[in-house]
Amino acid sequence: MNFQPCELCAYYRLCRYLGIFCIDYSPTKNKFRLRRSVLCYVVHFALQAYLVGGMSVMVIYWRRCFKSELTTTGNHFDRLVMVIALGILVVQNAWLIWLQAPHLRIVRQIEFYRRNQLANFRLLLPKRLLWVIIATNVLYMANFIKTCIFEWLTDASRLFVITSLGFPLRYLVTSFTMGTYFCMVHIVRLVLGWNQSQINAIIDKSADLKMTSPNRLRLRVCLEMHDRLMLLCNDEISLVYGFIAWLSWMFASLDVTGVIYLTMVIQTNKSIIVKLITNVVWLSPTFMTCAASFMSNRVTIQANKTAKILTKVPRTGTGLDRMIEKFLLKNLRQQPILTAYGFFALDKSTLFKLFTAIFTYMVILVQFKEMENSTKSINKF
């Protein structure tokens, strides 16, 4: 089979250039492989060294560049969010480099299904998402440079300014990582839909309720493909990307809380529209995380359709009944298909968890701010 550049090749290439993983396509072997290039590892270790150095600078000079507009509580929380952002990126990059072998298995399986089951499908989402990621990263970097460097850090040392650039760098790396996950899950959902169409065709074309032996064999193949896709999601994808999703959700709660708190505390002459646009840009990482969870939820909905299709098959009193009942019994108590490394299911319910965490952090911040104001009032007397 002649290789046709897949829709996810751009993601793999960009992730390799960013030092995230070393997966590349080999034209000679006609398959994806680990391309352990020196450039990838040099970029990876340079990025890790920069992030660790940035955290060290922020911790050592913790009280530098504090702004009176933010109050002491806001300054400490803002600095904490920046340090955690760099720390999360260090852990995330190390995780992906460490799990390159299972990641390669995911890429090969995804590409296998794309070539065989989706050969006639034109996947538009990966290309459109790539342009969205590039555009949001440009806007995020421009907003960070304008707001933080030219406004907040005008009096800061160059060392601290360079260190703070790790914050938009985190979104750059994480957005392409989560974008790759987004596209992989999208392909899994399409393959599930294709597989279900095959099951429907087998059932509809069978005039005999007992079904012929070839039809039963085809149905068995379809059910086995469904099981393999579920295994791919539960074991492989949740292992590699689930932990990163958990880190993204954890940071999203802190990031959103910080944006809301700063908007409440800082009084500026900017119009409401400008503030709204600025906050939307600041929350771009959170929107990416929420979009990935919605796509994961769609995979769960799509997977459950297989059981609904099989429940409508009339009973024939043959081995076909036992095959269907065995499948339905196995999926009766379906565990979450895509999880954040087992901590929670990646579906719409995670939004409720996010809002709960944001509300909790806001209550804590407000309480600390009130304590700070009370202490200042007492000290005046």
Side-chain angles (χ1 to χ4, degrees):
M1 180 183 297
N2 294 329
F3 174 72
Q4 298 294 329
C6 69
E7 292 81 356
L8 270 69
C9 281
Y11 292 89
Y12 303 147
R13 192 175 300 113
L14 288 170
C15 287
R16 190 174 73 251
Y17 293 154
L18 290 172
I20 300 174
F21 51 71
C22 306
I23 296 174
D24 190 24
Y25 180 76
S26 173
T28 56
K29 297 183 178 180
N30 195 29
K31 67 178 182 179
F32 285 91
R33 62 182 178 86
L34 285 180
R35 182 183 177 184
R36 301 184 185 276
S37 63
V38 176
L39 177 62
C40 179
Y41 285 111
V42 167
V43 172
H44 173 78
F45 286 115
L47 178 61
Q48 296 290 72
Y50 165 76
L51 295 171
V52 173
M55 286 190 293
S56 302
V57 169
M58 288 188 179
V59 171
I60 294 172
Y61 303 102
W62 185 268
R63 292 185 175 275
R64 296 283 184 89
C65 306
F66 273 17
K67 296 293 181 179
S68 58
E69 301 94 320
L70 278 151
T71 71
T72 304
T73 301
N75 278 302
H76 282 297
F77 185 78
D78 185 57
R79 191 60 50 82
L80 178 66
V81 171
M82 294 188 71
V83 171
I84 289 178
L86 301 184
I88 285 177
L89 187 54
V90 170
V91 175
Q92 175 182 308
N93 291 342
W95 181 263
L96 287 172
I97 283 290
W98 182 40
L99 294 179
Q100 289 188 99
H103 198 176
L104 178 62
R105 290 197 297 269
I106 296 172
V107 170
R108 286 176 174 174
Q109 290 184 65
I110 291 293
E111 179 60 17
F112 174 80
Y113 289 126
R114 188 197 68 85
R115 290 189 187 187
N116 290 275
Q117 277 71 42
L118 303 179
N120 298 325
F121 282 75
R122 185 182 178 188
L123 303 180
L124 299 176
L125 184 140
K127 185 176 181 180
R128 293 175 179 176
L129 180 62
L130 180 63
W131 285 112
V132 170
I133 292 174
I134 293 173
T136 54
N137 271 284
V138 171
L139 289 174
Y140 195 85
M141 178 62 77
N143 186 51
F144 184 86
I145 293 174
K146 176 183 179 299
T147 305
C148 293
I149 296 181
F150 289 132
E151 294 180 10
W152 288 96
L153 301 177
T154 51
D155 300 328
S157 63
R158 291 183 179 179
L159 179 62
F160 195 85
V161 172
I162 293 174
T163 298
S164 66
L165 290 173
F167 198 75
L169 182 62
R170 179 205 165 269
Y171 179 49
L172 175 67
V173 175
T174 303
S175 61
F176 281 109
T177 303
M178 294 304 293
T180 306
Y181 166 81
F182 198 104
C183 295
M184 287 179 173
V185 170
H186 177 64
I187 290 176
V188 170
R189 186 179 69 85
L190 292 178
V191 174
L192 281 169
W194 177 89
N195 193 51
Q196 288 157 5
S197 67
Q198 299 300 306
I199 295 174
N200 278 321
I202 294 171
I203 296 172
D204 294 341
K205 290 181 180 179
S206 179
D208 184 4
L209 291 178
K210 294 185 178 180
M211 285 194 174
T212 60
S213 180
N215 283 334
R216 288 201 301 270
L217 181 60
R218 289 174 57 198
L219 182 60
R220 184 185 296 276
V221 170
C222 289
L223 297 183
E224 288 177 352
M225 176 179 287
H226 178 93
D227 290 339
R228 287 196 299 270
L229 289 170
M230 294 302 97
L231 191 64
L232 173 64
C233 293
N234 284 320
D235 292 353
E236 301 285 354
I237 295 180
S238 292
L239 170 67
V240 176
Y241 288 98
F243 183 64
I244 297 172
W246 178 73
L247 292 175
S248 298
W249 274 107
M250 184 180 69
F251 179 74
S253 60
L254 294 171
D255 193 24
V256 175
T257 303
V259 171
I260 295 174
Y261 182 81
L262 294 180
T263 304
M264 292 170 55
V265 173
I266 301 173
Q267 302 297 326
T268 62
N269 296 324
K270 297 179 181 178
S271 64
I272 297 177
I273 297 177
V274 174
K275 287 183 179 179
L276 180 62
I277 294 174
T278 303
N279 288 340
V280 168
V281 175
W282 279 125
L283 295 177
S284 298
T286 302
F287 293 147
M288 171 67 73
T289 305
C290 293
S293 294
F294 275 111
M295 179 56 71
S296 302
N297 187 72
R298 294 182 68 184
V299 172
T300 302
I301 295 173
Q302 189 71 49
N304 291 335
K305 290 181 179 179
T306 302
K308 294 179 180 178
I309 294 171
L310 294 175
T311 54
K312 299 178 181 179
V313 177
R315 296 297 178 259
T316 62
T318 63
L320 175 66
D321 291 348
R322 291 192 296 272
M323 182 171 62
I324 293 176
E325 288 173 1
K326 182 179 179 181
F327 178 86
L328 294 176
L329 185 62
K330 183 171 57 177
N331 292 272
L332 181 63
R333 293 184 177 180
Q334 180 68 53
Q335 298 296 320
I337 295 173
L338 290 161
T339 65
Y341 202 58
F343 289 100
F344 51 83
L346 289 175
D347 51 28
K348 291 187 292 186
S349 65
T350 52
L351 292 178
F352 175 76
K353 299 180 179 69
L354 177 63
F355 294 143
T356 302
I358 293 171
F359 179 77
T360 303
Y361 293 145
M362 285 301 301
V363 169
I364 295 172
L365 283 176
V366 170
Q367 288 178 342
F368 271 104
K369 185 175 180 297
E370 291 299 321
M371 291 172 60
E372 180 184 341
N373 293 335
S374 300
T375 304
K376 288 181 179 179
S377 300
I378 294 172
N379 291 335
K380 286 182 180 179
F381 296 100

